[in-house]
Amino acid sequence: WFWEVISPLVGLIGANELAAQVSIVNFIMLVFMPLASLGMAGATVVGMAIGEGSRTKAANFVVAVLATTVGLGGCIALLVGLGASVIAALYTPDTDVQSLATPVIRLFGLATLWKSLFVSIGAIFRGTGRTKFSSAVTSAAYWAISFPLFLFFGFVLNWGFFWMWVGICVGSLAVLPIYAHALYYMDFQVLIDERMQANAKKAVKKA
């Protein structure tokens, strides 16, 4: 519900800001479709490797997903950064709206460098069965960090539309070290043992 909450709040600043917000969010959803798909694929293959009891395969899949994420995220960041003004113009002919949207689109391009990892690592944790941890970190990023900064920059300091988006982008960057630390110290053997125990309990219930 994060985007549904902040968009009406942006409308309180002005009609041009709301028009820019709608265009930017639409573009973000489009751009993040391949990144989200990569994350879901990563969750699937890592989860399957754990189900098979292969610690090596699970670890290799994690490395492959992260490497692909960095490469894809970097390409998207570069293309979005270079083409921000063109992208804004594709969404609206209004030059006032374009002037608001262009720097934010460029900021989003930069943020893709870490947001792509934020999405993929979160998906990997869901694939390993650590859904509560992933949900807690994601909620903290959006509601404990991004949302308060969005309100503070936009309505307390009155720094404007661009800085509201700075607040939005900071949340995922702030929690990325938490994700990275947990991923680095992830014990795949423990996850495999837990999965085997869960499967054994299911087999007993069916019997």
Side-chain angles (χ1 to χ4, degrees), residues 41-61:
T44 301
V45 295
V46 172
M48 289 178 62
I50 291 173
E52 294 173 4
S54 178
R55 182 171 61 182
T56 301
K57 187 183 289 187
N60 289 340
F61 277 139

Side-chain angles (χ1 to χ4, degrees), residues 9 14 17 32 45 51 53-54 69-71 73 91 97 116 124 131 141 163 170 175 178 189 194 197:
L9 292 174
E17 285 81 0
F32 261 84
V45 295
S54 178
T69 298
V70 170
Y91 273 93
V97 177
S116 56
I124 288 171
T131 54
W163 277 94
V170 164
V175 301
I178 298 173
Q189 189 58 52
E194 289 178 352
Q197 291 174 5

Side-chain angles (χ1 to χ4, degrees), residues 150-202:
F150 164 84
L151 295 175
F152 184 68
F153 290 157
F155 296 100
V156 177
L157 298 180
N158 293 315
W159 282 1
F161 183 63
F162 177 81
W163 277 94
M164 295 171 84
W165 269 89
V166 170
I168 292 171
C169 293
V170 164
S172 53
L173 178 62
V175 301
L176 196 57
I178 298 173
Y179 263 156
H181 180 272
L183 188 63
Y184 183 79
Y185 288 102
M186 181 182 290
D187 190 332
F188 289 103
Q189 189 58 52
V190 171
L191 297 173
I192 290 170
D193 293 342
E194 289 178 352
R195 184 70 60 86
M196 292 178 65
Q197 291 174 5
N199 291 338
K201 289 180 180 179
K202 289 180 181 178

